[in-house]
Amino acid sequence: GAGVSQSPSNKVTEKGKDVELRCDPISGHTALYWYRQSLGQGLEFLIYFQGNSAPDKSGLPSDRFSAERTGGSVSTLTIQRTQQEDSAVYLCASSLYGEQFFGPGTRLTVL
Amino acid sequence: GENVEQHPSTLSVQEGDSAVIKCTYSDSASNYFPWYKQELGKRPQLIIDIRSNVGEKKDQRIAVTLNKTAKHFSLHITETQPEDSAVYFCAASSPGNTGKLIFGQGTTLQVKP
């Protein structure tokens, strides 16, 4: 079956612009996660959606970051007024029980 | 909140040797401990996991051990091969059965042929 997909795979933007990153989780997975991975670094938790519950936004680094999950499926991570320090790979994962399945990531470069 | 420390940050071994990566966690209520492997330029993939009701789990050349009292768990890879070269991440579940994972900082394993 299809795995987690993300788009775009690469995004280059100018400082100050807004960007939207999309995640399509595995069908039927109730949980969806966003992580940020800077070059050579670990997986930094950003936000977590579980079913119809309020999302856990405790990892969002600033109010420039927001995310939505529509209809319990597709999710969009929005970064407003991008800064150079936002440059990283943004990974999405979904799960049903336990194991998280990761997407290929979106590499964001802010010039 | 939960915190996960992972050591070493880099590890280099000769092909055929064993490799051990260790993680400690802070919250005794954590009950799920997965290990992910991330090859260069690829997505992380689960290689093995363990729950708190088990002390050890093996899958061919890899094994994970869990010491709940000391709050640490380890990944053991035996008979290492060049294709084991990757970054390995440990994780611990956030207390409350939310499904959220807290990841360690990763270990870059290099297996020299």
Side-chain angles (χ1 to χ4, degrees):
Chain A
V4 177
S5 61
Q6 292 185 244
S7 61
S9 56
N10 281 284
K11 177 71 176 179
V12 180
T13 191
E14 293 179 346
K15 178 182 173 181
K17 300 282 190 183
D18 298 351
V19 295
E20 286 189 351
L21 312 180
R22 177 187 169 105
C23 173
D24 282 89
I26 293 172
S27 177
H29 280 192
T30 55
L32 186 148
Y33 312 80
W34 283 98
Y35 297 93
R36 179 169 69 177
Q37 188 171 34
S38 301
L39 188 63
Q41 299 299 308
L43 297 163
E44 177 189 5
F45 167 79
L46 296 177
I47 189 169
Y48 159 50
F49 297 89
Q50 174 61 272
N52 295 320
S53 302
D56 177 347
K57 304 180 182 180
S58 60
L60 295 178
S62 77
D63 59 7
R64 297 186 295 106
F65 288 72
S66 62
E68 290 184 340
R69 188 178 185 192
T70 55
S73 181
V74 172
S75 177
T76 301
L77 177 68
T78 300
I79 309 173
Q80 295 179 310
R81 306 181 301 282
T82 51
Q83 303 295 313
Q84 289 184 330
E85 59 262 30
D86 299 335
S87 296
V89 174
Y90 290 81
L91 289 162
C92 172
S94 70
S95 72
L96 185 56
Y97 302 111
E99 179 180 358
Q100 293 186 17
F101 294 83
F102 284 83
T106 293
R107 181 175 299 278
L108 175 65
T109 303
V110 182
L111 301 177
Chain B
E2 176 68 280
N3 184 51
V4 178
E5 297 288 333
Q6 182 171 348
H7 300 280
S9 56
T10 60
L11 180 59
S12 181
V13 300
Q14 285 297 133
E15 182 177 0
D17 288 349
S18 294
V20 181
I21 303 170
K22 299 181 180 181
C23 289
T24 59
Y25 58 100
S26 59
D27 198 315
S28 58
S30 293
N31 60 11
Y32 175 61
F33 307 92
W35 286 88
Y36 283 80
K37 176 183 180 182
Q38 187 177 28
E39 296 178 8
L40 189 63
K42 297 192 176 180
R43 69 190 80 184
Q45 291 192 303
L46 181 75
I47 55 171
I48 194 166
D49 57 10
I50 191 168
R51 294 192 180 272
S52 59
N53 58 346
V54 176
E56 182 177 5
K57 185 176 178 180
K58 288 184 178 180
D59 184 0
Q60 298 182 345
R61 296 186 298 106
I62 60 174
V64 57
T65 58
L66 172 65
N67 184 325
K68 288 187 295 182
T69 302
K71 290 188 287 186
H72 68 69
F73 55 112
S74 300
L75 178 71
H76 304 252
I77 306 173
T78 59
E79 300 172 21
T80 53
Q81 301 169 4
E83 53 265 37
D84 295 330
S85 297
V87 180
Y88 291 81
F89 293 99
C90 66
S93 60
S94 182
N97 290 320
T98 64
K100 176 180 172 181
L101 296 176
I102 305 302
F103 283 85
Q105 286 302 300
T107 296
T108 301
L109 174 64
Q110 181 186 29
V111 179
K112 298 178 180 177

